Amino acid sequence: MRFTTVNISVLAAGLVLAIGIGLSTPDRVAAGGVVEDMVGVWSGYIQAGGAPPEPIRTEITSQEGRKFTGFAQSPDPVQPIEIEGTVSASGKVNYQSKSPDVHLVGKHDLLSFEGGAAILNGDLTRPSVDGKFIVPCVLVMRPFAADGSVLPAVAGRYDGSISGDDGVMAQISLALGSARSTSFEGDIVIILNGETHELELLGTISSGGRIIGIAHKSGPGHMILDATLDSSNATITGTFKLELEHGLEYEGTFTAPAYRPTAS
């Protein structure tokens, strides 16, 4: 399992976590003049330093070329904040509040997948409740587009193993709920180097069984998941990237068959 150090720097009252994505290559990336479609609802969380994660919701309502507009629902403001932004050919997404009275700036990297699923990974500068500015870690996801196809039955518990480049083994357990439209929630437990890490998962599944997910811990730490559910043998396989406090970063592959209790 590869072990690397992530750059961490303190800014004002918050923490910026510089994140590199180590997953399998997305089906579509913004390159060569391709204009990425940003329209849709992006849901996830923000996390500053050791504070518990807070939910965040961004809705991009319109787009013309590389420019887009929409609304961001940060935890502090009572009303959604109107934003305007751009997406570059290299997959860099930047936006800011349209009102000069509200200071909100987002800077993200875009991971885009066939079928409409996508992840924005970066940071957000926003006013906090005490008037200071913080720059938390931001991770949001747009689900696969619902096309009327029957979705695989994803709900259940899947227990399996993790492996990495250096041969280190770990355990993983996923408890997934039923998909509503193409979205589902769940929990992930990873036992790594004798330590147990519990994360809450927000995922999306396509009609072909592809699973994209983001997960977060109650303290510093988050995970990005790119996997496939094989309905023929009820097994989820895929890649992951897990980032923990103190700059610890793990990435590798996993295989998790559905849990079937032994009859008594």
Side-chain angles (χ1 to χ4, degrees):
M1 186 167 299
R2 193 170 71 181
F3 173 84
T4 56
T5 301
V6 181
N7 294 326
I8 298 180
S9 59
V10 177
L11 177 60
L15 192 70
V16 178
L17 181 57
I19 306 168
I21 303 299
L23 300 175
S24 57
T25 303
D27 301 313
R28 295 186 302 123
V29 294
V34 175
V35 178
E36 288 291 329
D37 180 12
M38 297 295 297
V39 174
V41 176
W42 304 73
S43 300
Y45 71 94
I46 65 175
Q47 193 170 42
E54 299 176 281
I56 186 171
R57 181 180 184 273
T58 300
E59 183 174 4
I60 307 302
T61 55
S62 64
Q63 181 173 347
E64 184 175 349
R66 299 198 180 280
K67 297 181 179 180
F68 60 83
T69 59
F71 298 88
Q73 180 65 69
S74 185
D76 289 343
V78 176
Q79 298 296 327
I81 298 173
E82 191 172 7
I83 59 172
E84 56 185 0
T86 60
V87 53
S88 74
S90 61
K92 300 295 183 182
V93 175
N94 298 301
Y95 62 81
Q96 62 184 11
S97 53
K98 295 185 70 173
S99 171
D101 298 327
V102 179
H103 188 88
L104 187 76
V105 178
K107 297 181 179 181
H108 308 299
D109 291 319
L110 171 67
L111 283 175
S112 185
F113 304 88
E114 196 68 45
I119 292 172
L120 289 176
N121 188 353
D123 58 66
L124 178 71
T125 305
R126 65 181 177 93
S128 65
V129 291
D130 58 5
K132 298 179 181 178
F133 291 95
I134 64 174
V135 184
C137 165
V138 179
L139 197 59
V140 295
M141 182 187 69
R142 181 179 62 188
F144 286 108
D147 59 6
S149 301
V150 177
L151 296 176
V154 69
R157 174 178 154 189
Y158 302 82
D159 293 342
S161 59
I162 291 171
S163 61
D165 295 339
D166 58 7
V168 175
M169 303 296 292
Q171 294 175 288
I172 185 171
S173 179
L174 303 94
L176 309 181
S178 299
R180 289 187 292 180
S181 185
T182 62
S183 299
F184 63 90
E185 296 180 348
D187 298 289
I188 298 177
V189 176
I190 293 176
I191 301 176
L192 181 66
N193 295 332
E195 295 185 359
T196 300
H197 304 281
E198 299 180 358
L199 301 98
E200 295 183 21
L201 173 71
L202 176 63
T204 181
I205 186 169
S206 72
S207 58
R210 186 158 189 189
I211 295 172
I212 306 298
I214 58 176
H216 64 83
K217 294 186 64 178
S218 58
H222 56 270
M223 180 179 182
I224 296 178
L225 184 76
D226 182 356
T228 300
L229 169 64
D230 185 343
S231 297
S232 66
N233 59 9
T235 298
I236 296 177
T237 59
T239 60
F240 75 96
K241 182 164 185 178
L242 173 66
E243 297 191 12
L244 304 172
E245 58 186 336
H246 308 308
L248 299 180
E249 177 184 290
Y250 300 92
E251 59 184 287
T253 62
F254 71 94
T255 301
Y259 172 72
R260 294 184 175 90
T262 303
S264 57

